[in-house]
Amino acid sequence: MRVNGAQEVTAHGRPTTQQQRAQQQQQQQVQQQQAQQQQQQQQQQQQQQQQQQRRDMASVETVDAAYIVRAELRGHTSDVRGVAAWDVPVEEHAWKQHVVATSSRDTTIRTYVMTGPTTFTHARTLTGHTSYVGPLVWVPPQSVEGLPDGALASGSMDASVRVWDITSGECLNVCTGHTYQVAAITLLSGGLLASASLDATIRVWALSDGTCQAVLEGHTGPVLCLATTPSGDLLSGSGDRTIRVWRGGVCVAVFTGHTDTVRALAMLPHGAGFVSGSHDFTVKVWNMQGNTRVTLRGHTKIVLCVAAKETAGGGVLIASGGDDASVRLWGGSQGECLQVLTHLGCVWDCCWMPSSGDLLTGCEDGVGRVWHSDFSTTQEKAQAHAQLHTVPMASGEFEHREDQAQHAK
């Protein structure tokens, strides 16, 4: 009805269809404005993220010379599962001697000393583990009471951690307590060492006597990788797809981003962040707040190991190895894959050697390899570039196959 020529209302005082249409138009205009604002905010966020990625990777240098094999470390009868490298001062000289160690599915650990530009001589074989040996960590001299000359720590499928005197070959301590494979180990401050296991726990050990100091629980899947931050925090990656941060035995943060098992962790130089490798075929670069800076795509199977080093120019070079029989070197302003180092099987582990800058890799074919990029002649560089090609960073995702996502092989 119409009241004194005023707007039309119903008998119950409700707006007519004309009023409803006007209100709907106003609501639509408000919604359109909100949608436009939201779209603008999303575009700004994307631009900020892209700018941040460019800033994060701006200091990463390109490889100015292709890496080629300097030496092959032979002697194992099965897969090389772990690698470690350190320097030993030589008293009568001003230089340091390069020493490397390899662990294997054959249950042994072998150490080698560099005796020439392309020669590493076998020094000792360590035996004692009853199943295949995986992660290795060098304990520097004078860093732990009772170990003045340093030591080598190893983790194994036999669920133990062993501490070795590499000079005598004697096993100094056996750390037992895990109920399944020890997948990773890392040094902590105060003479401690942390170990991660497929039993979903992390244990902290005193290196001086092998006693367990703490058990860290929280992951809901096998714990497969560890890294120690410069501040002393512990990072752990798991089959539950998360990365946890531990401080004083307590989990203080949980980072998510990978879509499958987190298999490898490594710190960036100067505590600028860390790198992770995953069964989702990707490598991620993170800041210490748990934000992903860059996702590096190119591996076609699971990523098993990562390592990072500072270059001569102050940049960062990242290496990642995987089940696709390759190691990829990453850098550049956009996180490009700069080079692919082809292997003859799965690459289980890799690390940068401390002073030489060489890359040490452990392969399924039972061979450890030392890769070098400092060539004295143009011919050597040409030969290297002919053998090892540069590959641009792949932009697409890769199809994941469950048969490749195995925690232990």
Side-chain angles (χ1 to χ4, degrees), residues 21-254:
R21 288 175 179 172
Q23 291 174 354
Q24 288 175 353
Q25 289 177 352
Q26 291 178 350
Q27 290 176 352
Q28 288 175 352
Q29 290 176 352
V30 171
Q31 290 174 351
Q32 288 175 353
Q33 292 175 352
Q34 291 176 343
Q36 290 175 351
Q37 291 176 353
Q38 186 176 8
Q39 186 177 8
Q40 290 175 352
Q41 289 175 352
Q42 289 176 346
Q43 291 176 346
Q44 290 176 353
Q45 289 176 353
Q46 289 176 353
Q47 291 174 354
Q48 290 173 354
Q49 289 175 353
Q50 292 173 354
Q51 292 172 356
Q52 183 63 44
Q53 287 182 358
R54 286 193 290 270
R55 287 194 296 269
D56 289 334
M57 298 301 291
S59 63
V60 180
E61 292 186 348
T62 60
V63 179
D64 58 2
Y67 278 72
I68 63 170
V69 175
R70 176 202 283 270
E72 291 189 337
L73 312 177
R74 295 183 177 273
H76 286 297
T77 59
S78 189
D79 308 36
V80 174
R81 294 294 302 254
V83 295
W86 62 94
D87 292 333
V88 176
V90 180
E91 294 181 359
E92 62 270 24
H93 299 284
W95 47 271
K96 297 180 179 180
Q97 190 173 50
H98 303 316
V99 184
V100 301
T102 57
S103 64
S104 174
R105 193 185 292 271
D106 66 13
T107 76
T108 71
I109 301 165
R110 294 172 66 90
T111 61
Y112 302 82
V113 176
M114 186 175 178
T115 54
T118 60
T119 305
F120 282 76
T121 301
H122 173 237
R124 186 170 293 279
T125 299
L126 309 178
T127 60
H129 281 295
T130 58
S131 187
Y132 75 73
V133 191
L136 299 174
V137 166
W138 172 243
V139 182
Q142 307 299 331
S143 64
V144 177
E145 185 177 356
L147 300 175
D149 298 325
L152 184 67
S154 60
S156 171
M157 179 70 178
D158 64 14
S160 75
V161 173
R162 287 178 176 257
V163 182
W164 307 85
D165 181 328
I166 64 163
T167 302
S168 66
E170 177 187 0
C171 179
L172 303 175
N173 291 309
V174 181
C175 309
T176 58
H178 283 298
T179 58
Y180 199 50
Q181 174 188 346
V182 176
I185 55 177
T186 187
L187 285 180
L188 302 175
S189 60
L192 301 176
L193 178 139
S195 61
S197 172
L198 270 65
D199 64 14
T201 70
I202 301 165
R203 287 179 175 261
V204 179
W205 312 90
L207 283 165
S208 58
D209 60 10
T211 57
C212 183
Q213 304 296 301
V215 180
L216 312 183
E217 298 178 310
H219 281 294
T220 57
V223 189
L224 297 168
C225 50
L226 298 171
T228 305
T229 72
S231 65
D233 289 348
L234 177 66
L235 303 180
S236 60
S238 170
D240 63 14
R241 306 179 183 183
T242 69
I243 298 168
R244 287 178 176 256
V245 184
W246 305 84
R247 185 176 303 143
V250 177
C251 180
V252 295
V254 180

Side-chain angles (χ1 to χ4, degrees), residues 246-265:
W246 305 84
R247 185 176 303 143
V250 177
C251 180
V252 295
V254 180
F255 302 151
T256 59
H258 282 296
T259 59
D260 206 331
T261 295
V262 181
R263 185 59 177 262
L265 289 169

Side-chain angles (χ1 to χ4, degrees), residues 251-318:
C251 180
V252 295
V254 180
F255 302 151
T256 59
H258 282 296
T259 59
D260 206 331
T261 295
V262 181
R263 185 59 177 262
L265 289 169
M267 295 304 302
L268 292 174
H270 308 298
F274 62 93
V275 185
S276 63
S278 171
H279 285 196
D280 64 13
F281 307 171
T282 70
V283 175
K284 288 182 179 289
V285 181
W286 308 70
N287 62 23
M288 293 310 300
Q289 290 71 47
N291 301 313
T292 302
R293 294 175 170 185
V294 182
T295 298
L296 309 176
R297 298 183 174 91
H299 282 288
T300 58
K301 293 185 179 180
I302 62 178
V303 180
L304 297 169
C305 57
V306 291
K309 73 163 183 175
E310 184 176 16
T311 62
V316 176
L317 187 62
I318 296 170

